[in-house]
Structures are given as structure tokens and as C-alpha cells.
Amino acid sequence: MARINSCVFISGAGTNLKNLIHSSRNYNFPINIKLVISNKKNALGLTFAKKHSIPFRIINTNERMFETKLLNEIKRRKISLICLAGYMKILSRDFIKNYKGKIINIHPSLLPKYKGTNTYSRILNNGEKKTGCTVHFVDDKLDSGKIILKKSFEIFKNENINTLKKKTQKAEYRAFSEAITKLYMES
Ligand code: GRF
């Protein structure tokens, strides 16, 4: 099976990237990570790219034409899937149009609930009994594209932001890889 060339965008810890790298070491996993992009030069997640000898680029989003540079880089490496894994910048409409149906994101809530940031505190403040994570396609509206897969779990009475984050991320690691498998195995 020819694997899909993919690129992972990060901004921070990169634990989802780490898990995607781990999944992609299995040759039956449909994607191969050919590039990592970070908009933060000190993003911890870059250590995983380095450790696994995956090429990475740091993109200064304040630079003029940065998206053109980004697109060139991605096209040069024949990337067919972009995974946003904690990438904290909004991509432009044009960029998304160029890669329509080929950009996916992981979000720490059961979409369409709790789009945007500060999800954990909003979930806890609202006294939710259940939460989870969602993998979805990216369109030009925030956290709104077609849903590929969700994973849910119960929120306990004594839950706090830290425990909720831990549980959500644990679910995310499985959800991201399963969503990618679902995308390519079922098409
Ligand atoms: C994840 O929880 C994801 O849902 C959100 O940002 C977080 C990134 O974590 N979009 P990491 O950088 O993968 O550790």
C-alpha cells in the first residue's frame, strides 16, 4: 500500500505529534509524516521531529507571504494530508481552499460543543457530565468542518482542569490515529 505523504502542524508540546509518529511507524498505518511545521521556534514538540529525523520548518507567521512559503514547502514534498495537532494559528481562507478536504484538526471537546479555546474550564463551569474529543475536517469557520470521529468519556465529580486535560489527551491520541485510518481505509 502506498502511504499518504502528510505534514503535522504544531505550536506547543506536540504530544499528539508524538503519537502520530508512533502510529506511522507501523507500515499498515495509511500516512507517512514527511514534514513538521511549527509557528513557534521553541515548541517542545519539535524535539519529536528531531528525534525521529523528520524534516521540520519553523514558520514566522508575522512574515509577509508566509503562507506562500508554507504552500511551496508542502507542495514540494507532495503532501496530501495536513494534520493540525495543537496548531494555534488560524489558516487563511485561501490556504484552506488550496487544501480543501485535506486538512484535519483535533479538538478537545465533543464538537459542535465548546468550539474555540479554554475548553476545559468552560466544560467544567457548565457542569457537563460527559466530554471528549473530536477529529474533523478544517473549513473556513472555526472548529466547524465535517466530523470524522469523536471519542467521549464521563466527567467525574472531583474533576479539575488538569485531570480533564489528561483524560482528553489520552482519548485524543487514539482518536487521531483512528480517524486517519478511517479516512483512508474506508475510501
Ligand atoms: C490538544 O489537546 C488539542 O486538542 C488542542 O491542542 C492540544 C495540543 O496538545 N488543539 P499537544 O501539543 O499535541 O500536546
Side-chain angles (χ1 to χ4, degrees):
M1 177 184 74
R3 299 213 285 166
I4 309 289
N5 288 347
S6 71
C7 168
V8 182
F9 282 31
I10 62 166
S11 296
T15 58
N16 277 285
L17 165 66
K18 180 183 172 199
N19 279 276
L20 287 177
I21 294 173
H22 183 78
S23 295
S24 69
R25 292 174 82 185
N26 176 342
Y27 285 99
N28 291 320
F29 193 59
I31 68 162
N32 205 354
I33 302 171
K34 292 284 189 186
L35 180 66
V36 171
I37 298 282
S38 172
N39 66 318
K40 299 265 183 226
K41 69 172 189 299
N42 295 326
L44 261 180
L46 287 171
T47 54
F48 303 119
K50 289 176 195 161
K51 187 171 166 205
H52 294 276
S53 308
I54 298 171
F56 63 90
R57 293 282 174 275
I58 292 148
I59 297 287
N60 179 355
T61 52
N62 295 321
E63 222 176 89
R64 244 185 98 236
M65 311 281 287
F66 83 89
E67 277 195 348
T68 311
K69 286 183 190 161
L70 196 52
L71 272 176
N72 289 342
E73 189 74 39
I74 286 170
K75 289 198 168 137
R76 192 164 69 87
R77 292 174 196 270
K78 302 190 169 42
I79 301 293
S80 305
L81 179 75
I82 296 173
C83 302
L84 306 185
Y87 181 67
M88 299 306 282
K89 270 273 169 189
I90 308 251
L91 296 167
S92 76
R93 247 174 208 207
D94 274 352
F95 188 94
I96 294 169
K97 217 166 78 191
N98 255 292
Y99 266 81
K100 197 169 181 288
K102 292 178 178 168
I103 310 176
I104 63 175
N105 180 44
I106 183 123
H107 186 77
S109 75
L110 295 172
L111 289 174
K113 287 177 118 183
Y114 303 102
K115 296 175 182 177
T117 54
N118 300 322
T119 46
Y120 303 125
S121 57
R122 288 188 288 137
I123 290 166
L124 290 174
N125 289 342
N126 281 347
E128 295 284 358
K129 300 269 176 295
K130 206 178 99 178
T131 186
C133 64
T134 308
V135 183
H136 65 96
F137 285 106
V138 172
D139 66 11
D140 57 7
K141 286 181 218 77
L142 183 70
D143 300 327
S144 295
K146 188 175 170 233
I147 289 171
I148 303 164
L149 189 143
K150 296 194 216 190
K151 280 210 182 286
S152 63
F153 53 83
E154 224 181 296
I155 300 177
F156 299 138
K157 276 211 177 75
N158 56 352
E159 210 87 65
N160 58 44
I161 292 188
N162 285 336
T163 59
L164 195 57
K165 181 175 175 187
K166 246 192 201 146
K167 278 164 77 171
T168 306
Q169 292 205 316
K170 204 168 157 206
E172 285 185 341
Y173 305 149
R174 290 183 22 239
F176 222 161
S177 293
E178 280 180 34
I180 291 169
T181 303
K182 183 175 173 203
L183 269 185
Y184 294 102
M185 295 305 178
E186 289 175 4
S187 59

